[in-house]
Amino acid sequence: MYKRQINDLPSGEFKSSLKDLNPSARAKALEQLQGFSFPAADVESLRVDPEGSLLYVETASPVTVDAQVMSLPDALESSIAADPQNVFKLHSRPGSSNVLFLDFDGHTLRNTAWNTVMSQSVLEALPFDADNNDNPSTVANFTQGEMNRIAEIWHRIATDFAAFDIDVTTEEPAVFTATTGHVLFTDDLDANGRYMPYYNATGAAHVNVFGEANSGTYYPTLVYYTNLYTYLQGYPAPVAESASHEFGHQLGLSHDGLVNQPSYYNYQGHGTGLVSWAPIMGSSYGKNVTQWSQGEYPGASNPEDDIAIIAEKLGYISDDHADSPSQATALAVDPDG
């Protein structure tokens, strides 16, 4: 696990980028490097922006998907009918001071670290359009199928964070604070045909910024659903996995892979069908059961306790808390669907 100086890092793009920073930005990056641990293979995914902020960029890579898992979308869409009146008012834990906003209707990026990376004062991120029916492309026209998928994406992410004191919601907060996370589900091209930051990735997120006074600079977290199974865009499982994974980085988590492997992508979990398993901070996109990990599988590269690290930022909820993602879902799903 790396938690040392720049010169201790393996040679490569990440190390070179750190050395090319101006002294102020390099000092900021070095301070961040000392603030979290990561497996050696993570240098393949780590980047640094011009101001010295560290981030993870998940390069799109082939993922093996079990045939039984791939058959789930039809079953989901036939059994879940999201209520159009409520699908953008879903809350897993209303009233929590910690919030994770899931943003599906596009977003204008100004004064963010992403604008700095792209040298663009404005980026017009497009809405989630899995059915490719938005016309014009900047105006969301959600079909019932897309709303069903959004409800399922929300439910999966809310379940990932059900043990913690955070409200996972599809309703845009009236006020964004240091403890408001923001995940944007969008295309890797903006409304003007310009590349979005790290456009060839599946997602990108800055490291360990949730709760920091200037955290808004590093939002939104980017999830490019268009790069997750291009032949089945918007499928809830990989989209939700990507969102939980990227937000995990913002909470201070690094990757779960295998020792002596060049990338966390080299471990895609184990098992088949409905009981296939992978760690959320690994390459979990093609598995059905995913969990936060502490390296409880053979050859694990990362022994960090994901749950303990998340709890430091969010806190736990009591076992007998009245609300739960499954109960909240019932409010937004038509039982006769």
Side-chain angles (χ1 to χ4, degrees):
M1 300 290 286
Y2 278 92
K3 195 174 179 181
R4 297 188 285 277
Q5 303 292 320
I6 292 174
N7 286 337
D8 295 321
L9 296 169
S11 297
E13 179 183 350
F14 180 54
K15 184 175 182 178
S16 297
S17 298
L18 289 167
K19 288 186 171 181
D20 290 341
L21 294 171
N22 65 54
S24 176
R26 191 183 308 118
K28 177 180 177 179
L30 182 58
E31 182 179 0
Q32 281 192 289
L33 277 174
Q34 301 301 327
F36 82 113
S37 297
F38 55 92
D42 273 19
V43 296
E44 182 257 355
S45 302
L46 280 166
R47 300 289 186 272
V48 61
D49 71 19
E51 297 181 351
S53 295
L54 302 183
L55 63 148
Y56 276 89
V57 176
E58 321 295 350
T59 304
S61 178
V63 175
T64 302
V65 185
D66 187 277
Q68 284 184 272
V69 177
M70 284 295 290
S71 70
L72 289 177
D74 290 338
L76 286 171
E77 292 198 18
S78 65
S79 63
I80 294 179
D83 180 353
Q85 301 300 316
N86 289 326
V87 71
F88 296 108
K89 297 180 181 179
L90 298 171
H91 290 263
S92 64
R93 205 163 305 288
S96 173
S97 60
N98 300 312
V99 175
L100 178 57
F101 170 47
L102 308 182
D103 189 350
F104 293 91
D105 65 354
H107 185 72
T108 301
L109 283 72
R110 293 189 178 91
N111 302 315
T112 73
W114 304 124
N115 297 97
T116 301
V117 166
M118 301 304 292
S119 299
Q120 296 284 348
S121 60
V122 178
L123 289 166
E124 294 284 353
L126 291 168
F128 179 81
D129 184 21
D131 287 342
N132 196 30
N133 71 316
D134 290 350
N135 187 15
S137 61
T138 53
V139 179
N141 179 29
F142 294 113
T143 66
Q144 184 63 57
E146 287 172 336
M147 289 188 288
N148 296 350
R149 291 187 176 199
I150 288 168
E152 178 65 17
I153 290 165
W154 167 82
H155 180 262
R156 286 175 174 268
I157 298 168
T159 299
D160 287 341
F161 290 96
F164 307 103
D165 184 11
I166 186 168
D167 179 23
V168 180
T169 181
T170 56
E171 184 172 17
E172 182 168 354
V175 177
F176 285 76
T177 71
T179 56
T180 305
H182 181 182
V183 177
L184 176 65
F185 302 89
T186 189
D187 198 305
D188 62 357
L189 294 175
D190 85 342
N192 297 302
R194 297 174 299 196
Y195 288 130
M196 290 285 286
Y198 305 102
Y199 65 93
N200 61 342
T202 56
H206 286 80
V207 173
N208 205 19
V209 295
F210 184 84
E212 298 298 314
N214 63 340
S215 61
T217 302
Y218 304 110
Y219 289 113
T221 304
L222 301 174
V223 171
Y224 296 130
Y225 75 93
T226 49
N227 292 340
L228 288 161
Y229 303 132
T230 55
Y231 50 89
L232 197 61
Q233 291 181 0
Y235 172 35
V239 175
E241 288 304 314
S242 181
S244 291
H245 180 114
E246 299 308 330
F247 188 55
H249 288 315
Q250 296 201 313
L251 293 168
L253 302 182
S254 51
H255 281 153
D256 293 336
L258 293 175
V259 294
N260 301 320
Q261 292 291 335
S263 169
Y264 77 102
Y265 268 116
N266 291 87
Y267 175 65
Q268 296 180 11
H270 58 264
T272 60
L274 299 182
V275 294
S276 59
W277 179 93
I280 293 171
M281 296 311 297
S283 183
S284 59
Y285 311 114
K287 300 301 182 184
N288 190 51
V289 179
T290 63
Q291 294 175 306
W292 305 111
S293 172
Q294 194 178 355
E296 319 91 321
Y297 55 89
S301 64
N302 193 348
E304 74 178 8
D305 187 338
D306 290 352
I307 290 176
I309 292 171
I310 295 171
E312 287 181 7
K313 292 289 182 71
L314 305 179
Y316 294 112
I317 55 101
S318 60
D319 290 339
D320 59 351
H321 197 286
D323 297 327
S324 73
S326 59
Q327 290 171 330
T329 304
L331 300 176
V333 175
D334 179 358
D336 300 322

